[in-house]
């Protein structure tokens, strides 16, 4: 279950990375082309950019919050499991020491 | 794709994306500042030949202009302080006294003086003049129609 979720997060990070690399340049070039050739008014392009920026910022913010929450939960569980393993290893070591003393 | 080529492409997209983002932010801020700017800053209009005794009323406009703007429409009228009667000024008959660029688009300090014929049947008294002007302003890629009004211009007719 964790592995599937981890893979999903990895894919989402890759998609964000691609989006961050492409979208600013693509939007800038498209806007320049459309406004220079007077296909779209600069005012509309400005508002489209503003709305796009706002939607991206809000989406990223919530995605980041949920992802961080998931990572912290996973980290806490892994840490608790490691503590259990550490305790079990200590118990086994103690048992072996006792067996050796009895022998 | 070779590992080195992939790294170079990744770095190049990083740089172009950063530069594009910076350009978008700078252009956005410039656009907002342009649309919010007044046509004339620190400006005022007054009558220079108060009290007016002849047939011509002379005005002066002082201030500064940040962006290139072309005057497209202007309207002005005077309201009698006592009777409330309104007299429209005929801007088709204006004469420039000092400036040749009131309709033009020069930026910087503005010092325009012009005269308008006194409207017929305008009786003596104290008037409050208003001037409404429309401009088409241009700045880099941006264009914007703007309006600027001047109120409370005191005119005394004798």
């Amino acid at each position: 279950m964790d592995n599937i979720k981890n893979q999903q997060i990895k894919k989402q990070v890759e998609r964000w990375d691609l989006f961050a690399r492409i979208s600013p340049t693509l939007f800038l070039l498209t806007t320049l082309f459309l406004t220079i050739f007077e296909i779209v008014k600069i005012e509309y392009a400005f508002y489209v950019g503003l709305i796009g920026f706002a939607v991206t910022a809000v989406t990223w913010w919530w995605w980041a919050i949920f992802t961080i929450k998931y990572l912290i939960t996973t980290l806490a569980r892994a840490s608790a499991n490691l503590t259990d393993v550490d305790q079990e290893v200590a118990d086994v070591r103690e048992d072996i020491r006792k067996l050796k003393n009895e022998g | 794709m070779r590992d080195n080529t992939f790294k170079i492409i990744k770095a190049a997209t990083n740089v172009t994306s950063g530069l594009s983002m910076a350009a978008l932010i700078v252009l956005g801020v410039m656009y907002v500042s342009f649309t919010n700017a007044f046509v004339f800053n620190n400006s005022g209009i007054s009558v220079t030949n108060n009290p007016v005794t002849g047939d011509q009323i002379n005005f002066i406009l002082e201030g500064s202009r940040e962006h290139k703007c072309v005057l497209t429409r202007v309207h002005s009228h005077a309201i009698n302080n006592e009777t409330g009667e309104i007299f429209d000024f005929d801007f088709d008959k204006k004469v420039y006294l000092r400036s040749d660029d009131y309709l033009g688009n020069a930026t910087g300090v503005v010092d325009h003086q012009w005269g308008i014929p006194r409207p017929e049947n305008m009786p003596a008294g104290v008037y409050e003049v208003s001037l409404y002007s429309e401009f088409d302003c241009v700045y880099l890629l941006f264009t914007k129609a703007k309006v600027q009004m001047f109120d409370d211009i005191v005119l005394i007719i004798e």
Side-chain angles (χ1 to χ4, degrees), chain A residues 15-26:
Chain A
R15 279 185 208 134
W16 275 116
D17 186 39
L18 190 70
F19 180 72
R21 282 171 202 281
I22 291 174
S23 61
T25 313
L26 195 68

Side-chain angles (χ1 to χ4, degrees), chain A residues 5-103:
Chain A
K5 183 75 179 165
N6 289 347
Q7 285 302 315
Q8 278 178 350
I9 288 177
K10 200 178 168 189
K11 273 185 185 172
Q12 285 167 3
V13 170
E14 281 168 5
R15 279 185 208 134
W16 275 116
D17 186 39
L18 190 70
F19 180 72
R21 282 171 202 281
I22 291 174
S23 61
T25 313
L26 195 68
F27 181 76
L28 181 70
L29 294 177
T30 312
T31 308
L32 284 175
F33 176 80
L34 292 176
T35 50
I36 285 170
F37 290 101
E38 294 181 353
I39 299 166
V40 167
K41 277 187 178 178
I42 192 98
E43 199 174 354
Y44 299 138
F46 174 76
Y47 286 117
V48 167
L50 205 64
I51 290 165
F53 192 85
V55 168
T56 305
V58 170
T59 312
W60 183 84
W61 177 252
W62 286 107
W63 176 83
I65 284 175
F66 285 118
T67 307
I68 288 168
K69 188 185 164 193
Y70 169 76
L71 290 177
I72 286 172
T73 310
T74 310
L75 196 68
R77 196 165 55 231
S79 177
N81 289 343
L82 274 176
T83 310
D84 289 347
V85 168
D86 192 38
Q87 186 60 49
E88 279 172 19
V89 167
D91 291 345
V92 168
R93 197 182 290 141
E94 182 64 23
D95 289 345
I96 291 170
R97 196 178 59 80
K98 278 178 186 172
L99 282 172
K100 269 185 183 174
N101 288 343
E102 282 170 12

